[in-house]
Amino acid sequence: MEEVRVRFAPSPTGYLHIGGARTALFNWLYAKSNGGKLILRIEDTDTERLKEDSVSQILTSLKWLGINWDEGPEVGGNYGPYFQSERKELYKREAERLLAEGKAYCCFCTPEELEAEREKQRKAKQPFRYARTCRELLPEEVKERIAAGESYSVRIKIPKEGEVIVRDMIHGDVSFDLAQLDDFVIMKSNGMPTYNFAVVIDDHMMKISHVLRAEEHLSNTPKQILIYEACGFETPNFGHMPMILAPDRSKLSKRHGATSVEEFREQGYLPQAIINYLTLLGWAPGNEQEIFSLEDTCRQFKFEKMSKKAAVYDTKKLTWLNGQYLSTLPLQDIMPEVTPFFIRAGLIDENWLETNAAYFEKLIDVVRVRVKTLQEVVDASTYFFRDLTEYDEKGIAKHFKPEAVEILTECLTGLEALEEFTLDSTEQVYNDIAEKNGVALGKIIHPTRLALTGRTVSPGLFDVMLLLGKEKTIKRMKDAIIFINSL
């Protein structure tokens, strides 16, 4: 069996889109589950759409997700360069070979002439097809026009009738009528290759065995097969993964919220959750399991289980998954991800962290189980770092009634008397007071929680007390009593 070599080939026109990340993931899974290699190639020939720092952002996002490549930028390999902009001579050489073999021809039609033809066909309500105006030009005329300095592109000659069959690993055989195609451009007049030409040359020279990509590229595949055949190259295996649609089943766009890996990272999502979620967009292990690691997926992965149906983008599901990972991952995996959020919020700095690392870890461990994102960990922790300036309005109406003063005062007295301020001792104070007064524990816990946090929802009350410490706990309870008396 030939070596499995797959590739992920993004264009550096922005951050890594969630759809691109899924393509990279499934290529990585296919390579690893078949003992193969993932090649990363940067398709940067579209100079008009390139964005500065986009390459570094894409590489950073891939590495953050845990998707590492075997050949490509920063890694090297035997089939480079891995930037298309550095491979222009290869494309030029192959185009010249096709011209010499009579499989391609020079087209001198100007943009204005092509637009006039396009408008003519538009008025006739016909799809645009190049009229093959320059296909039968005599070699002498071609040489004369080139020598005269006329601008030209290079078009491939394709049969005028017949069909191209794409043998797809997901969709089966898909037939395309050649009458729907024309002699398309493979080299632009500026000397740059078109996408379809460059990708074929690169995939062949990099010995790509399987081209696994999004379904929207299926329409490009017949053109690429025609180029493979004209060049005399062996055609790779194709697999086109289902599209990712918005919840309303429209094309996914910015109006549906975050769509890039970097945006999700900034909002406080974990790489493990994003990977898990992307895996579910078009693939499932065939059971009810929804939570699985990258390693688990790799062991179970079979490309044949890819769905043909479009996957629906659902951030609620992603957020739920993120909450699961946030509460169960080892703390050492959470700390490097959550710390920058606290620093950006101005709650801590590096100096504070050096002397309070153990306390900070305990705080994160307590808070993380009740929230869904890293940003929510920060939002749920502010009262540990800043003095309370207000209480939740609904909480005031429900828990800060006049009788709460007596409850808080009794609790305050019990806490002040403790020699050891521990989880067990503070809880015992509250159990004793509840039993003595014949009331449910919640009746005294709720006003205390509001007094200590300003909120009606928090981690376990006694965990909160320990993190605040005895001095701050007592002060906040006294402040709450004063506040209630002022109502």
Side-chain angles (χ1 to χ4, degrees), residues 124-137:
K125 296 184 178 179
Q126 298 172 341
F128 177 68
R129 300 279 184 273
Y130 174 61
R132 295 182 166 97
T133 307
C134 299
R135 180 164 168 151
E136 305 302 334
L137 292 178

Side-chain angles (χ1 to χ4, degrees), residues 247-259:
D248 60 2
R249 304 196 74 80
S250 64
K251 185 177 180 180
L252 188 60
S253 67
K254 285 285 185 184
R255 67 187 176 87
H256 299 108
T259 57

